[in-house]
CSV table of all heavy atoms in Angstrom, one decimal:
chain,number,residue,atom,x,y,z
Y,144,ALA,N,31.3,-10.9,18.5
Y,144,ALA,CA,30.2,-10.8,17.5
Y,144,ALA,C,28.8,-11.1,18.2
Y,144,ALA,O,27.8,-10.3,17.9
Y,144,ALA,CB,30.4,-11.8,16.4
Y,160,ARG,N,9.8,-0.1,22.2
Y,160,ARG,CA,8.9,-0.2,23.4
Y,160,ARG,C,8.6,1.1,24.0
Y,160,ARG,O,7.5,1.5,24.3
Y,160,ARG,CB,9.4,-1.2,24.4
Y,160,ARG,CG,8.5,-1.5,25.6
Y,160,ARG,CD,9.2,-2.3,26.6
Y,160,ARG,NE,10.4,-1.6,27.2
Y,160,ARG,CZ,10.3,-0.7,28.2
Y,160,ARG,NH1,9.1,-0.4,28.7
Y,160,ARG,NH2,11.3,-0.1,28.6
Y,253,ARG,N,-36.4,18.2,27.8
Y,253,ARG,CA,-35.4,17.8,26.9
Y,253,ARG,C,-34.5,16.7,27.6
Y,253,ARG,O,-34.0,16.9,28.7
Y,253,ARG,CB,-34.5,19.0,26.6
Y,253,ARG,CG,-33.4,18.7,25.6
Y,253,ARG,CD,-32.6,20.0,25.3
Y,253,ARG,NE,-33.3,20.9,24.5
Y,253,ARG,CZ,-32.9,22.2,24.2
Y,253,ARG,NH1,-31.7,22.6,24.7
Y,253,ARG,NH2,-33.6,23.0,23.5
Y,300,LYS,N,45.1,-7.0,17.5
Y,300,LYS,CA,46.2,-6.9,18.5
Y,300,LYS,C,46.6,-8.3,19.0
Y,300,LYS,O,45.7,-9.2,19.1
Y,300,LYS,CB,45.7,-6.0,19.7
Y,300,LYS,CG,45.2,-4.6,19.4
Y,300,LYS,CD,44.7,-4.0,20.7
Y,300,LYS,CE,44.2,-2.6,20.4
Y,300,LYS,NZ,43.6,-1.9,21.6
Y,323,PHE,N,79.9,1.2,22.8
Y,323,PHE,CA,80.6,2.5,23.0
Y,323,PHE,C,80.7,2.9,24.4
Y,323,PHE,O,81.8,3.4,24.9
Y,323,PHE,CB,79.9,3.6,22.2
Y,323,PHE,CG,80.1,3.6,20.7
Y,323,PHE,CD1,79.1,3.2,19.9
Y,323,PHE,CD2,81.3,4.1,20.2
Y,323,PHE,CE1,79.4,3.3,18.5
Y,323,PHE,CE2,81.6,4.1,18.9
Y,323,PHE,CZ,80.6,3.7,18.0
Side-chain angles (χ1 to χ4, degrees):
R160 183 187 66 81
R253 180 181 291 175
K300 298 177 184 178
F323 282 106

